[in-house]
Amino acid sequence: MAAVILSARALTRHFGGLRAVDGVDFDLHQGDIHALIGPNGAGKTTFVGLLSGRIPAQSGTITLAGEDITRLPAHARVRKGIAYTFQITSVYPRLSVFDNVALAVQQGTDRDLGPAVMAALSRVNLADRAEQTAGTLSYGHQRLLEMGMGLALRPRILILDEPTQGLASGEIANFKALIRSLVPETTVLLIEHNMDVVMDLATRITVLNLGQHLATGTAAEIRANPAVQDAYLGGHHAAD
Amino acid sequence: MGFGPFLLLALMESAVTAATLALTAVGLSLVFGVMRVVNVAHGEFFMLGAVAAWFITNFIGGPPWFAFLMALALAPLAVAAIAALADRLILKRLDYEPEATIVATIGLLYIFQQAALSFYGPQAMPVEPPFNFRIQLPWFGYSAYKLSVILLAALVLIGVWLFLTRSKAGLVMRATQVDRETAQAFGIDTDRVYAAVFALGAGLAAIAAVLIVPIAQAHYLMGHDPLLLAFITVIVGGLGSLRGTVIAAILIGLSDGLIAFFWSPTLAKILATLLVAMVLVFRPQGLFGARTT
Amino acid sequence: MKVWILHVAVLLALLVLLLVLPAYHATNLARIMVLAVFAIGYNLAFGYTGLLSLGHALFFAAGVYGAALPVTYLGFAQLPALIAGLVAGAVMAGLTGLLALRTAGVSFMIVTLMFAQAGYLSLLYFGEVTGGDEGLVLPGAAGLIPGLSADAARTTIAYGLFALALIASLLLVRGRFGRTMVAMRENEERSRMLGYNPFAVKLAALVLSGLFAGASGAAYALLFGYAGASFATIQYSILPMLWVLMGGAGTVLGPLIGTAAMFYLVDIAGSYTTATLLFVGVALVLLILFAPRGILGTIRERWLPWLP
């Protein structure tokens, strides 16, 4: 088994009386495509918010390759190699596609921005739209741009919050190919509702339920897990 | 005069400051609370109230008490009408976007100042007090009018409080403050509410000015200090909280007056402005407000 | 390329104007150019980074007194005094930003306003040193450049400062940091998740802005021979905002256009009426109501999308 790159221990965040994330232990292995699933309200978005630093943890620890990053602010974690893409597409709508990606690329060590930006745009098939204003792109293209910005950071870990939401089926196929091309250099953690995508793509799956860790394993193990069937694939799934 | 009586005199002077400050600041706070508008022209509504009082008393003539009462009734109405007009013509068109409205009210500030300078002039002129009775204390005599200012201001504040909590119009205003969209969904004409709140806020500043103008004098630049003090009060009291605003007005009015009485007024102002900046930076909910999260 | 041609052409046109205009207008133009440097600085904070400050008078006055006090009390020569003023503006902006940037939006406006007000009152309080409302009279522009008259020296230095500021701001906003500032204005949260520290970026932008404001204040005091507490009043925070709004926030040439337009508007109006404040007020209200993008912003939107 590959080395653990990111791990959480007893990670906790409550909002008033709501236990959004409640003492979760979690390990992310180098080179995995790790999917995070669970019914609505299971605390998935809050959990990745804690990992990326967008939400401060109340207790517990987060370590990145052995280094404690629990108290590190979000922007410092990004610089250490944890990239995050938003659930609701969040590009700079009034800037050009080129500038959107350049903002990510210029965080690195490239002396010459142009080629590096175009290379990042080529990976998400947007090179021919570099001069377009980002806000005028179609929704699917904006999601790709968002991915391109994340990739341009050259992250060690890429966290994707519902990347396929709102994409057409053809676009989903391209997306899956893109994700596969990232590993093993980049480790991917994604929240995903589309079970076909999860089962097809993920090398490991973690199930959260009501803010707590329920199970972790391969697709086959998760399918066979009675607790998961009970909490998630069973009764609640219809309401999802 | 010994220290005790001296302190008493300082306290009474400060109480007058606190009373008019409370009126001005509550007006500002109301506008911010309901409309989320930081009205930089609020001090100019104060100034317009004083200038209007001067025009009204001179135009009407007659016994001082009658002229003053007319000014107390008419000047705030006139100022409120101007405010309602400004709301309709400018603020509403900006859709009450916070930063844009600040820029617009800065523009209004200059327009009102210039209007006062052009039509009223650069000189400072007094309004005759309605009565010139002095209350003779063992140590010094004190103007009964100043005491009546405190009383009147308290009455107006109680009136505002009753209006907001007991009347239907007050309920509508508070509903709009809590949630503009829901209020609209319940059929409340929020445009009219906003115009009314802006007018009420300006009217309160004008009342404070009419009360103070027999003691101070009307001048086209007189709006500056009340604006600053009202800002300080509203921020220290917690933005949009009426009770906090009144408590802060009393504290600040008293301390500002007292500090200014014993030390340099400039130093007092420096300390007060820095205090406000620090409150906004470190306790944005105000000194008396509760944390919302 | 056409961007550089345009800006060099503007600078050449200004030079020609300075040479052919009669002395009165040349002095006006010198005044406009020095104040436009202030507006360029304000634009970096407001137009590019989205920081709507009501406290820039503090940075301008820091430049004014940062230059005037060493000249008056320490016998500084003019050039070191100019540098002292520029540094004072940047330092004051840094100190203000350290506290004020913990807030945003309306609170940021009020906090900066309050700091500037405290600065103004402090200048009055220490009136024995600063001259307070009466101010300090400085040697002025005579003899600044050997062999040139006071007028000629003034316009030369004003032009040099403005040209430097314009080129510097153009390089800045077209470079990486310029893109970062705009990103902060457009979407702070997204920028944070690209690894930018919002506080550090905004602080750096504010310090740069204060640097320009300080340079302008120092030059104004040195070239026109006067420093006074009035430069710290709220009016000197409002004016750069007005100039930038009029010329076009977030455009490189907007500050110059706005400063010149407002200067001549008030100048021309002043020959018909004394009600000049009215023009400032009406201009603010009309701009925010009907042309929030300003002159150059509107031109860019309609016709010239390549304008920086």
Side-chain angles (χ1 to χ4, degrees):
Chain A
M1 190 178 279
V4 171
I5 181 163
L6 183 72
S7 89
R9 287 291 170 270
L11 202 56
T12 299
R13 174 76 204 198
H14 296 174
F15 295 107
L18 174 72
R19 296 161 172 239
V21 173
D22 199 21
V24 172
D25 291 347
F26 174 81
D27 287 317
L28 184 65
H29 296 270
Q30 176 79 48
D32 265 2
I33 298 175
H34 196 138
L36 198 58
I37 63 170
N40 278 339
K44 303 181 297 285
T45 293
T46 305
F47 182 69
V48 296
L50 292 169
L51 292 181
S52 66
R54 296 187 70 207
I55 306 169
Q58 276 159 336
S59 64
T61 55
I62 305 165
T63 53
L64 174 69
E67 182 193 355
D68 187 340
I69 58 163
T70 315
R71 300 276 157 252
L72 225 50
H75 56 84
R77 293 190 206 188
V78 175
R79 293 200 157 237
K80 286 202 176 283
I82 305 180
Y84 174 91
T85 69
F86 288 71
Q87 179 176 12
I88 298 159
T89 301
S90 180
V91 298
Y92 302 96
R94 298 204 294 174
L95 304 188
S96 70
V97 169
F98 181 93
D99 277 339
N100 270 273
V101 175
L103 277 161
V105 172
Q106 70 182 25
Q107 290 288 47
T109 51
D110 293 285
R111 290 195 73 90
D112 205 356
L113 279 182
V117 172
M118 294 318 289
L121 282 174
S122 302
R123 289 189 81 174
V124 290
N125 287 321
L126 286 175
D128 53 337
R129 298 180 184 270
E131 295 309 315
Q132 202 174 330
T133 306
T136 62
L137 291 175
S138 70
Y139 180 78
H141 282 144
Q142 288 195 22
R143 297 240 51 147
L144 281 176
L145 176 57
E146 172 97 34
M147 284 279 297
M149 291 160 77
L151 291 179
L153 288 168
R154 300 200 184 133
R156 291 148 89 185
I157 299 168
L158 181 60
I159 301 178
L160 304 165
D161 196 347
E162 302 210 16
T164 64
Q165 194 185 23
L167 293 190
S169 54
E171 292 172 322
I172 289 180
N174 289 337
F175 166 79
K176 285 196 288 198
L178 176 62
I179 293 296
R180 283 207 186 89
S181 74
L182 299 181
V183 291
E185 294 79 26
T186 304
T187 308
V188 177
L189 172 64
L190 75 158
I191 295 179
E192 187 51 69
H193 272 139
N194 185 333
M195 279 306 139
D196 294 336
V197 173
V198 170
M199 294 302 167
D200 193 20
L201 207 53
T203 50
R204 203 182 305 270
I205 300 173
T206 288
V207 187
L208 291 182
N209 189 33
L210 299 171
Q212 293 181 328
H213 177 261
L214 197 63
T216 295
T218 63
E221 286 165 4
I222 291 298
R223 275 207 200 89
N225 187 315
V228 174
Q229 288 173 354
D230 192 36
Y232 182 62
L233 298 172
H236 295 290
H237 196 221
D240 190 0
Chain B
M1 193 157 43
F3 182 74
F6 190 66
L7 187 67
L8 179 68
L9 181 62
L11 263 177
M12 289 167 77
E13 289 289 317
S14 305
V16 177
T17 311
T20 52
L21 175 58
L23 282 179
T24 317
V26 163
L28 190 66
S29 176
L30 203 61
V31 167
F32 181 80
V34 177
M35 307 166 69
R36 295 282 132 182
V37 164
V38 176
N39 178 17
V40 184
H42 195 65
E44 304 319 307
F45 288 134
F46 181 92
M47 177 275 289
L48 287 179
V51 169
W54 186 86
F55 275 113
I56 292 169
T57 48
N58 277 278
F59 182 75
I60 289 183
W65 63 268
F66 177 72
F68 181 80
L69 277 185
M70 292 304 284
L72 190 58
L74 295 178
L77 280 181
V79 172
I82 294 172
L85 195 67
D87 172 74
R88 277 291 158 106
L89 288 182
I90 301 169
L91 302 186
K92 181 171 169 255
R93 285 165 194 254
L94 294 173
D95 205 22
Y96 304 99
E97 202 276 309
E99 292 182 344
T101 49
I102 291 190
V103 176
T105 54
I106 291 172
L108 282 177
L109 176 149
Y110 285 120
I111 293 172
F112 290 148
Q113 259 180 25
Q114 185 63 59
L117 180 62
S118 297
F119 294 107
Y120 172 80
Q123 68 282 35
M125 289 185 282
V127 166
E128 208 177 326
F131 47 86
N132 274 316
F133 181 68
R134 285 182 86 75
I135 297 171
Q136 196 55 50
L137 296 175
W139 314 279
F140 53 84
Y142 198 71
S143 156
Y145 176 72
K146 286 188 182 177
L147 291 179
S148 71
V149 167
I150 302 171
L151 192 70
L152 271 170
L155 283 177
V156 173
L157 282 176
I158 292 171
V160 170
W161 182 72
L162 285 175
F163 170 74
L164 286 176
T165 52
R166 301 293 154 86
S167 76
K168 183 154 176 291
L171 179 72
V172 166
M173 282 182 189
R174 285 187 299 139
T176 311
Q177 167 166 12
V178 175
D179 187 341
R180 183 183 175 189
E181 262 118 52
T182 312
Q184 271 169 338
F186 275 91
I188 292 174
D189 182 351
T190 52
D191 284 347
R192 275 179 65 187
V193 175
Y194 277 23
V197 167
F198 203 62
L200 178 61
L204 285 172
I207 293 176
V210 178
L211 290 178
I212 208 72
V213 81
I215 303 168
Q217 292 180 329
H219 184 251
Y220 83 105
L221 290 176
M222 74 188 295
H224 188 257
D225 281 358
L227 175 70
L228 199 66
L229 272 179
F231 254 120
I232 293 172
T233 307
V234 170
I235 290 164
V236 168
L239 288 166
S241 147
L242 286 192
R243 186 180 305 147
T245 302
V246 173
I247 297 173
I250 293 168
L251 276 179
I252 289 168
L254 288 181
S255 56
D256 185 69
L258 282 179
I259 294 172
F261 217 84
F262 292 106
W263 289 298
S264 145
T266 311
L267 187 61
K269 281 191 207 160
I270 294 175
L271 294 178
T273 34
L274 286 179
L275 169 79
V276 166
M278 293 306 158
V279 166
L280 265 179
V281 171
F282 294 106
R283 258 190 84 84
Q285 73 277 28
L287 287 184
F288 307 108
R291 221 174 249 281
T292 46
T293 50
Chain C
M1 195 58 210
K2 55 186 169 187
V3 169
W4 284 103
I5 293 173
L6 173 70
H7 288 80
V8 170
V10 167
L11 285 176
L12 285 177
L14 276 175
L15 189 61
V16 171
L17 276 179
L18 283 174
L19 292 175
V20 300
L21 281 179
Y24 169 75
H25 284 287
T27 305
N28 273 351
L29 201 51
R31 207 179 284 270
I32 289 171
M33 287 187 299
V34 172
L35 291 175
V37 173
F38 187 15
I40 288 174
Y42 190 85
N43 193 26
L44 289 179
F46 167 54
Y48 287 96
T49 320
L51 296 169
L52 188 40
S53 145
L54 288 180
H56 264 60
L58 185 61
F59 314 149
F60 186 74
V64 167
Y65 275 101
L69 291 179
V71 166
T72 308
Y73 295 104
L74 304 173
F76 268 42
Q78 310 271 11
L79 183 67
L82 181 69
I83 292 168
L86 166 158
V87 171
V91 168
M92 194 59 93
L95 293 177
T96 305
L98 278 178
L99 288 165
L101 286 171
R102 290 160 169 269
T103 64
V106 169
S107 290
F108 180 77
M109 297 172 85
I110 298 176
V111 170
T112 49
L113 176 72
M114 290 294 168
F115 276 131
Q117 184 67 18
Y120 167 64
L121 292 168
S122 302
L123 285 177
L124 293 185
Y125 188 70
F126 296 105
E128 285 181 17
V129 180
T130 64
D133 274 333
E134 310 230 314
L136 303 169
V137 175
L138 304 173
L144 265 181
I145 301 177
L148 283 188
S149 70
D151 278 348
R154 190 186 294 128
T155 42
T156 308
I157 293 175
Y159 180 78
L161 182 75
F162 174 76
L164 214 61
L166 187 77
I167 299 291
S169 75
L170 186 61
L171 284 172
L172 187 69
V173 305
R174 284 167 67 78
R176 295 188 181 197
F177 190 68
R179 191 183 283 123
T180 308
M181 292 196 298
V182 171
M184 209 49 71
R185 177 191 78 195
E186 293 291 313
N187 189 341
E188 181 171 330
E189 183 58 17
R190 188 69 186 94
S191 304
R192 200 157 70 98
M193 295 319 287
L194 287 177
Y196 294 99
N197 179 348
F199 185 81
V201 171
K202 289 193 274 188
L203 187 63
L206 198 64
V207 167
L208 279 172
S209 176
L211 189 93
F212 281 79
S216 167
Y220 203 83
L222 295 171
L223 295 181
F224 296 96
Y226 172 75
S230 61
F231 289 128
T233 53
I234 167 87
Q235 195 165 357
Y236 278 84
S237 295
I238 307 286
L239 286 175
M241 179 176 81
L242 176 60
W243 298 330
V244 168
L245 274 174
M246 175 156 261
T251 64
V252 171
L253 285 170
L256 173 70
I257 293 174
T259 311
M262 208 57 221
F263 186 92
Y264 277 103
L265 193 66
V266 170
D267 194 53
I268 292 165
S271 59
Y272 295 102
T273 164
T274 54
T276 48
L277 277 182
L278 188 69
F279 287 88
V280 175
V282 170
L284 272 175
V285 171
L286 291 182
L287 276 171
I288 201 77
L289 271 180
F290 301 111
R293 287 193 179 78
I295 297 171
L296 217 53
T298 308
I299 290 177
R300 173 163 70 186
E301 194 178 57
R302 297 259 171 91
W303 298 291
L304 305 174
W306 51 270
L307 272 182

